[in-house]
Every structure is written in C-alpha cells, then in structure tokens.
Amino acid sequence: MTSLGIQHFSAFLLACIALNLTPGLDTFYILTRSGREGRAVGVASALGINAGCIVHTLAAVLGISAILMTSALAFSVLKYLGAAYLVWIGLRMLIAREGTRQPTVTRGEGLGAAFRQGMLTNVLNPKVALFFLAFLPQFVSMQAAHPQFGLLVLGLSFIGTGTAWSMVLALLGGHIHHLLTTRPRFGQWMDRVCGMVLLGFGVKLALQRQG
C-alpha cells in the first residue's frame, strides 16, 4: 500500500461501509427492481450500478471527472440526461397498465436490460463522478510513486463493499417480490409509489448545481 500512496486504509473502508449503508437512489432502485421483478433482476441491477462505479473510478483515475468540475456545459448535459432517464423510468411505472405490471420496467427484456439500466442510472449521475473525484484522493498521497494505482485500488475497494451491500438489498427485495406475487393490489400501489419516488429523484438531479 505504501508504494501506492494509500493512507488510512482502515478509515477508508469504514467510510465506505457507512456511505453504502446510507439510503439513496441506488438503494431504492435495487429494492424496487428486485421487489417488482424478482431477485435475479435485482442482482443484475445491482451489478449494473456497481459497473457504473467502475466507470466513475476509471474516470477519476484518468482525470476525466475533473472536466465535470470545471465545465458547466459538460456537467449540465450529463445531469439532464440522467434526470431524463430517471423520469422516463418513473413514468413507465406510473402509466403501466395492470396487465403489464409484471415485470414493470424491463418488460421481459431480461437480465441484460436490468444490468444496462442499473449502469445508466449510475453513470449518468454527475454527482457520483464528482464524489469519486473528491473522495478517493483524500486517502492517497499524490507524492507517491504510483498514486493512480492507489486511486484505482481504493475505487475497487469501495465497489467491493458496495457490491456486497447491493446483494443484501437484492435478496431483501426478493422477499418483497414474493409478497407482491400473492397480493397484486399491493404491487400496483408499490408501482405508483416507486414511480413517484423515481420522478422525484429525477427532478432533484435536474435541480442540482455544479460544485
């Protein structure tokens, strides 16, 4: 770890766990997908979200994320794309007819669709990119021989803890799915609530400012 410039790795892991346990869009999204479409879809969505984190880690290592911090245009474009995507998913859940509610979002397109959609919700969020750019360097000395590799190791460590927690959420959502299959009316109610929440996340993202 010394040659990579990594400092206070134990504190970093504790911070990662605390951040992963904090409810947010990813938590809600995984629970929603696994709850409505089953554990396998939840796992695929969780893997997609964490694949998005790999993209953000590589962007932070290569310095690409810095563009979002310095370019208002780049930040706004990514922000509005992400917001529009969340609003689109939310609207699909709200307007889905009763006969097409299972599955709700992937509409039977399979685990690949769930993976891609989970990845897009993460990649198109500029705040996640800026988080990786601001958080990881705090635990790496830039005077080290290979600080880029240190950033990469930290990013992968964060993704490791995040993936473990995501699997727990997917399994929990699987139990919710079992409940929904036996109570269709509850599933319809959940669709409406989840659709509204995703719309809210989309609007919140659209209103966020750079910095």
Side-chain angles (χ1 to χ4, degrees):
M1 293 293 186
T2 304
S3 62
L4 301 178
I6 296 177
Q7 303 171 330
H8 311 297
F9 186 64
S10 297
F12 173 79
L13 288 180
L14 289 175
C16 290
I17 294 172
L19 289 168
N20 288 321
L21 293 177
T22 303
L25 172 60
D26 292 347
T27 299
F28 180 81
Y29 188 77
I30 294 169
L31 286 175
T32 299
R33 298 304 298 273
S34 56
R36 289 304 292 135
E37 302 177 64
R39 181 174 57 190
V41 170
V43 169
S45 300
L47 292 176
I49 286 173
N50 286 282
C53 289
I54 293 177
V55 174
H56 288 301
T57 297
L58 293 176
V61 171
L62 298 174
I64 298 174
S65 294
I67 297 174
L68 294 175
M69 183 174 291
T70 57
S71 171
L73 177 60
F75 182 89
S76 296
V77 169
L78 192 61
K79 177 182 71 172
Y80 289 124
L81 283 174
Y85 189 69
L86 289 174
V87 168
W88 176 68
I89 294 176
L91 287 175
R92 288 186 69 178
M93 298 188 76
L94 286 174
I95 66 177
R97 296 179 180 178
E98 184 173 346
T100 62
R101 288 185 181 276
Q102 183 65 27
T104 304
V105 183
T106 57
R107 299 289 181 86
E109 295 172 10
L111 302 182
F115 179 89
R116 290 192 300 272
Q117 290 169 1
M119 186 172 180
L120 282 174
T121 62
N122 190 275
V123 171
L124 293 178
N125 190 338
K127 286 294 184 180
V128 178
L130 295 184
F131 164 77
F132 274 86
L133 184 64
F135 182 62
L136 299 184
Q138 296 183 43
F139 297 90
V140 175
S141 172
M142 293 298 108
Q143 284 71 46
H146 305 288
Q148 296 86 355
F149 291 110
L151 292 172
L152 182 60
V153 169
L154 291 181
L156 294 177
S157 299
F158 180 86
I159 293 166
T161 60
T163 301
W165 177 238
S166 297
M167 294 301 105
V168 173
L169 294 174
L171 293 175
L172 178 59
H175 291 293
I176 298 174
H177 176 70
H178 177 72
L179 174 64
L180 296 181
T181 55
T182 58
R183 300 183 181 180
R185 287 189 177 275
F186 182 68
Q188 295 169 24
W189 173 84
M190 183 179 175
D191 266 0
R192 295 188 180 96
V193 172
C194 292
M196 289 299 298
V197 173
L198 287 174
L199 282 173
F201 273 117
V203 172
K204 180 182 178 182
L205 179 58
L207 295 177
Q208 284 180 341
R209 296 186 177 181
Q210 185 179 12

